[in-house]
Amino acid sequence: NAGVTQTPKFQVLKTGQSMTLQCAQDMNHNSMYWYRQDPGMGLRLIYYSASEGTTDKGEVPNGYNVSRLNKREFSLRLESAAPSQTSVYFCASSDRGIAYEQYFGPGTRLTVT
Amino acid sequence: SQQGEEDPQALSIQEGENATMNCSYKTSINNLQWYRQNSGRGLVHLILIRSNEREKHSGRLRVTLDTSKKSSSLLITASRAADTASYFCATANFGNEKLTFGTGTRLTIIP
C-alpha cells in the first residue's frame, strides 16, 4: 500500500497563477484533510472532508478551494496564488474521523514569488 | 489558533539517554496525540491517549496525561540516532473535534 500520496512534491508559482494540489489515499478511509505547515506555526487545517461528497472549512480556508473527487482523492486548488500561501502543504486521511489517528502524505513544498 | 504548546522547542541528547518533551494545552480535550516528523517528510502518528487515561506505553514511548494541569509528556527511552525528528502534540477538543497541533519540539540525538 502506498498510503497517502501527493503531487507535485515541489512547485514554484508566480503571484496570481493558479494550481491544484492532488492527494490520493489507498486505505479506504472516509475522511481526508488538507493542512499547511509554516515555520513556528505548527499545522493548520485548511479544509477537510468527513466523507465522500462533503467538505468543510478549517481554520485557514481563505484563498483555497477543495474537491472530494471520490473516496480516494481530495484536491486543493489555489485560484490566484499569493506570497502568503508559500508553505508546505500536507494531505492526511483517517478512518475514525477528524479527532483520531491521521495518516499523512509526504507534503508539497509551494513557493509563490 | 494554538492549543498545544511543546516544551522545550529544541532538545539535544546523547544516544542512549532518555528524552522528555512536554505539551501544555488550554481547553478540555477528548484526546491528545503525539506525532513524529522526520526532516522533509510527513507526520507519523505515534500514540493517542484519551482524556480518561493517565499513562500509555508503546515500545520505547511513554506518554502521560494530567488533565488537572492540562499537560502531557512524551518520554522516549534509550534514544537512537533514528529518533532525531520533530515531535508534535495534537489535541482533539470537546465540541470542536478537530485536531489542533502545537509548534513542535526538535529532538537531536548525538551519536
Side-chain angles (χ1 to χ4, degrees):
Chain A
N1 286 352
V4 179
T5 57
Q6 293 183 235
T7 56
K9 285 187 168 49
F10 301 94
Q11 184 71 47
V12 179
L13 291 178
K14 291 187 180 351
T15 297
Q17 288 185 320
S18 62
M19 79 161 294
T20 300
L21 280 63
Q22 307 286 355
C23 173
Q25 52 92 8
D26 62 2
M27 296 173 284
N28 202 36
H29 288 171
N30 285 318
S31 305
M32 297 185 73
Y33 319 94
W34 277 104
Y35 293 90
R36 59 178 289 173
Q37 184 177 36
D38 301 293
M41 296 288 291
L43 271 76
R44 292 182 291 170
L45 183 65
I46 305 171
Y47 270 95
Y48 68 101
S49 171
S51 60
E52 188 178 352
T54 69
T55 60
D56 285 287
K57 294 178 180 178
E59 184 184 353
V60 288
N62 291 347
Y64 305 96
N65 284 302
V66 291
S67 295
R68 183 74 184 266
L69 305 169
N70 48 56
K71 191 170 186 179
R72 289 187 63 247
E73 298 172 289
F74 189 38
S75 63
L76 178 72
R77 183 160 178 83
L78 287 71
E79 290 292 351
S80 179
S84 61
Q85 293 177 307
T86 293
S87 187
V88 182
Y89 291 85
F90 289 99
C91 177
S93 69
S94 67
D95 61 352
R96 292 187 58 194
I98 195 168
Y100 295 92
E101 177 180 356
Q102 296 187 13
Y103 295 79
F104 283 79
T108 294
R109 186 172 295 273
L110 175 67
T111 302
V112 183
T113 61
Chain B
S1 58
Q2 231 58 51
Q3 164 76 313
E5 294 290 339
E6 288 91 341
D7 171 60
Q9 290 187 332
L11 178 63
S12 291
I13 61 172
Q14 294 291 134
E15 191 167 18
E17 293 180 339
N18 296 342
T20 299
M21 288 156 269
N22 303 297
C23 171
S24 59
Y25 58 91
K26 299 188 178 80
T27 62
S28 296
I29 60 170
N30 178 315
N31 68 67
L32 185 144
Q33 303 173 38
W34 285 92
Y35 287 79
R36 183 188 73 231
Q37 183 179 33
N38 291 92
S39 182
R41 308 288 290 273
L43 278 71
V44 174
H45 184 267
L46 295 176
I47 198 164
L48 179 153
I49 186 165
R50 291 182 172 78
S51 60
N52 61 353
E53 297 176 312
R54 292 296 167 260
E55 187 170 312
K56 204 160 182 180
H57 296 253
S58 176
R60 292 184 297 113
L61 306 180
R62 172 176 168 252
V63 169
T64 60
L65 179 65
D66 186 336
T67 53
S68 67
K69 294 181 179 177
K70 292 187 168 59
S71 68
S72 173
S73 67
L74 170 68
L75 168 68
I76 303 173
T77 61
S79 63
R80 305 168 182 169
D83 295 328
T84 293
S86 291
Y87 292 81
F88 295 86
C89 69
T91 54
N93 309 321
F94 280 116
N96 175 22
E97 293 192 345
K98 296 181 182 60
L99 279 189
T100 305
F101 287 82
T103 53
T105 291
R106 190 169 66 254
L107 174 66
T108 302
I109 308 300
I110 303 164

